[in-house]
Amino acid sequence: MSVSPTGPPASPSASASASAPKEKPAAKPATKSPEKRSVSPRTAALGGWPTPSADQAVSSTIEVSGTYDGGLKRFRGSGGLGTDGQGEDQGPLFELADGAVLQNVVLGDPAADGVHCLGSCTLRNVWWEDVGEDAATFKGASASATYLVDGGGARKADDKVFQHNGAGTLTIRNFQVADFGKLYRSCGNCGTQYPRHVVISNVRATAPGQVLAGVNANYGDTAVISGVTIVGDPSITVCERFRANSSGAEPTALGSGPDGANCRYSASAITHR
């Protein structure tokens, strides 16, 4: 199924003019307009979980090019996609072509392998009620590929939420995650490896959870993290470094914490509640 994007209508500009008065009135004291302040990532509010508008069973992968707006409908796997296990060969409920946008969608249980992005993509206001194998997998082969997760949330992820198998940069912002293994993982043993990058901002992570970002130091991965709130467990690891491989073997853990190279954040970027 594919939907082509439609651009927003241009906003008409308005202008007004008035003739100048014959006499210039006395100047009035200047009134200073209230200063507009931007909301910092730390204080930006995250809303509650949405109530789905309807339910739809998905027995074969929905292929998206352009923009697909689900209207906050809940999509559940059925038939061959009716599984919530950790099998690596599962199909996704949604497969996004390069440049596609998926928005206003709730993935219910079972969710199979969630969403696959074959190139750059945007996931906007997408919610996973019970993550299957992974919530989303990013597969673009170009170093210039960009993936954006903006808004939404995920819970009940036995292992990973976002799996980065391809190249490029993933941005996760305005997102909430609860009851999870890893929020983000750069593939530790893919047959083809790349330098991968993730930017995490304005994220609330609620225990139980293990790791926010797992990156491969030996391939030059980076994780830039700011405005994160960890709720319920101060021992959740913010960023963990690994020595990855392309042989399929288990990667080796190298350590965790900010190092200015692979794990880029400061103590002030993390709030514990």
Side-chain angles (χ1 to χ4, degrees):
M1 175 175 185
S2 63
V3 182
S4 298
T6 56
S11 300
S13 61
S15 62
S17 62
S19 59
K22 294 181 180 180
E23 294 184 5
K24 186 175 181 181
K28 294 181 180 180
T31 301
K32 186 176 181 180
S33 300
E35 181 181 357
K36 294 182 179 179
R37 297 184 179 181
S38 60
V39 180
S40 69
R42 183 182 300 282
T43 58
L46 295 173
W49 279 70
T51 300
S53 60
D55 272 52
Q56 178 175 325
V58 180
S59 58
S60 60
T61 299
I62 298 172
E63 298 179 354
V64 179
S65 60
T67 297
Y68 185 102
D69 191 318
L72 280 180
K73 186 185 296 183
R74 177 191 283 124
F75 296 82
R76 302 177 184 270
S78 67
L81 296 176
T83 176
D84 58 0
Q86 295 296 306
E88 293 292 336
D89 57 350
Q90 295 180 73
L93 296 188
F94 292 91
E95 183 179 82
L96 276 58
D98 186 23
V101 177
L102 180 67
Q103 61 188 25
N104 301 322
V105 164
V106 179
L107 279 73
D109 180 24
D113 200 24
V115 178
H116 286 184
C117 285
L118 303 184
S120 296
C121 69
T122 297
L123 308 181
R124 183 177 294 116
N125 197 36
V126 177
W127 302 82
W128 291 264
E129 294 179 327
D130 191 332
V131 174
E133 182 190 349
D134 301 315
T137 304
F138 304 96
K139 298 183 169 186
S142 170
S144 62
T146 57
Y147 321 96
L148 173 63
V149 175
D150 190 4
R155 57 193 179 196
K156 300 181 183 178
D158 291 340
D159 191 6
K160 303 172 296 295
V161 177
F162 297 125
Q163 175 74 25
H164 196 169
N165 289 350
T169 300
L170 169 62
T171 297
I172 307 166
R173 69 189 186 199
N174 310 321
F175 193 80
Q176 48 195 300
V177 62
D179 190 1
F180 64 101
K182 295 179 178 69
L183 172 60
Y184 168 88
R185 181 65 173 103
S186 172
C187 184
N189 54 13
C190 285
T192 301
Q193 293 285 23
Y194 310 91
R196 303 183 182 100
H197 310 284
V198 64
V199 178
I200 298 173
S201 65
N202 192 35
V203 165
R204 182 172 69 230
T206 301
Q210 297 176 10
V211 178
L212 290 184
V215 296
N216 303 322
N218 58 317
Y219 288 115
D221 291 359
T222 62
V224 178
I225 302 170
S226 65
V228 167
T229 299
I230 295 176
V231 181
D233 184 359
S235 68
I236 290 175
T237 300
V238 175
C239 185
E240 186 168 11
R241 295 178 296 280
F242 294 87
R243 179 181 294 110
N245 62 78
S246 57
S247 65
E250 281 300 307
T252 303
L254 299 176
S256 61
D259 64 352
N262 306 108
C263 295
R264 303 181 183 181
Y265 65 97
S266 63
S268 63
I270 313 300
T271 297
H272 292 278
R273 291 182 182 171

